[in-house]
Amino acid sequence: MSSMTICARFRPLSSKERRDHGDTVCIRCIDAETFLFKDEKDEEFTFSFDKVFYEKSEQAQVYEFLAWPIVKDAVDAINGTIITYGQTGAGKTYSMEGPSILVCDEQKRGLLPRIVEGLFDCIKSSGGTMKHSIKLSMVEIYMEKVRDLFDLSKDNIQIKESKSQGILLNGVTEISVSDPAEALQSLSSGIANRAVGETQMNMASSRSHCIYIFTVHQEVKRDDRLKTGKLILVDLAGSEKVEKTGAEGKVLEEAKTINKSLSVLGNVINALTCGSPGKANHIPFRDSKLTRILQDSLGGNSRTALLCCCSPSPSNALESLSTLRFGMRAKHIKMSPRVKCNEDKCAEKQGPASSPIKHESCEIILDKLKERFDAEDVKLLEELFTLNGILFDPCSSEELDSAFEDVTSQTIVSLQQAVEELASTVDELKRENKGLKERLAADERSHAAGKEAGDNNTSSLVHKLPGILRSFVSWVRSLSSIKLLNCEVN
């Protein structure tokens, strides 16, 4: 058993941060592994990680410490995962890709182009006793759907689990590459398809979690066996606070989905590290697509490293503190990396065991559903599966059980989303109804006040009328007396 490698990286202050707070920072370096962090209330916390990269650290230093050991293991058929985590605008994508994976200053090149070159360098140095091949896949998790960035028509890839191969992406595009230039060109085309958007904190904010998958096949000639190592790079979308990003409309909905999946990731980390010793603990891997894909990478058959990217500015102290605490919890996750051998070549040449055709597989799963639900409910679920593009093609009893669990989980998630949408609609209708009632009440009060004022005016006039008449009669009499006196004088 081994622990995850956890590193923290602080980017330089942005121009906005310098404008608002000058050169003030919320961290104080103690050494290469430890620093003091001051929060918004000036309370100090001490953090220790495997390595801390301060603002003047080089991209090459991050690669050599964090990634290079995992790259070597992947070529030797040991799975590896590298994850960048942090708030939006903290430097995750810069650490992963650099300014560009194709053309940029050597000093600024990110983990991705360095890892590509590192994989091919390791293969070259392995000598003639082994034959290697590398395949690439690239997906993003956007609005809780897994999209193939090498083939945009595959916009709802299903996640499967095999007892022998672990977590798989069903039907994802795999591109064979023979040199670093070809690999980087393919990756660049995938990056161009990634969902990005503009917020007040980041001009090109990632609106999805991006996952790069390198599958390294190793053929050992002397014993005629195959070994496979998988290297996964995960550039997570950043957590967002709406009051800081100014997100609205579609960008706001994206932010909600991003924050929700990151929350599930936090729940998984907590479940992995806070369980009672010797007692089985439920790990909610199936609560999001992200954690389902990372199931092997978190506490499973993988050597995993986490890069916590942070802003050193006091204005982002709360978010940076949250990121660092996430890293501290992840330090306690225990990994079990091991070499995985495939079946021997001669068995492979005979072809894989025949699997039930898709129609039969669907029938098997629907029959299992009928054991738990009414026939009418199963029919509705079948329609729901069809609408969501859920396919069944298991090739073993273990995969069949996993597919059933996936279908059940996806159904629950779909129903939960529908309930949330209905609840949101109900809340909106309640607010509109309340507004209408308030306007109606105001109109009724206004009408009543007008009627009362009219009644008061009429009553007052009725009461004053006799007096007015008496005054008028008196005036007429006076006028008549004056006229009579004038006549007598004449």
Side-chain angles (χ1 to χ4, degrees), residues 17 30 122 159 161 204 277 370 422 447 472:
E17 290 168 341
I30 295 179
C122 284
I159 304 167
E161 184 175 8
K370 288 175 183 176
L422 286 173
H447 179 69
F472 179 72

Side-chain angles (χ1 to χ4, degrees), residues 142-156:
Y142 177 74
M143 299 296 285
E144 270 306 287
K145 286 189 175 183
V146 183
R147 306 200 306 188
D148 191 330
L149 292 177
F150 289 151
D151 184 352
L152 296 179
S153 66
K154 301 176 182 178
D155 60 356
N156 191 16

Side-chain angles (χ1 to χ4, degrees), residues 309-324:
C309 299
C310 304
S311 160
S313 172
S315 62
N316 293 311
L318 185 63
E319 291 83 354
S320 295
L321 183 61
S322 175
T323 299
L324 295 170

Side-chain angles (χ1 to χ4, degrees), residues 49-60:
F49 294 103
D50 294 296
K51 186 80 171 178
V52 181
F53 300 100
Y54 298 100
E55 65 174 78
K56 292 185 179 179
S57 61
E58 302 288 343
Q59 295 274 61

Side-chain angles (χ1 to χ4, degrees), residues 68-137:
W68 175 237
I70 295 178
V71 170
K72 291 189 293 184
D73 281 350
V75 175
D76 291 331
I78 297 175
N79 294 339
T81 304
I82 300 171
I83 304 170
T84 56
Y85 178 91
Q87 77 173 121
T88 184
K92 299 180 299 300
T93 301
Y94 177 82
S95 296
M96 184 64 76
E97 299 175 6
S100 168
I101 66 168
L102 291 179
V103 181
C104 73
D105 189 305
E106 171 65 26
Q107 191 177 6
K108 295 180 180 180
R109 294 170 74 230
L111 290 173
L112 184 57
R114 294 176 190 273
I115 285 170
V116 169
E117 288 193 354
L119 286 171
F120 283 98
D121 287 344
C122 284
I123 289 173
K124 286 180 182 178
S125 63
S126 64
T129 59
M130 300 179 189
K131 181 181 178 182
H132 292 84
S133 62
I134 298 178
K135 291 183 178 180
L136 298 181
S137 297

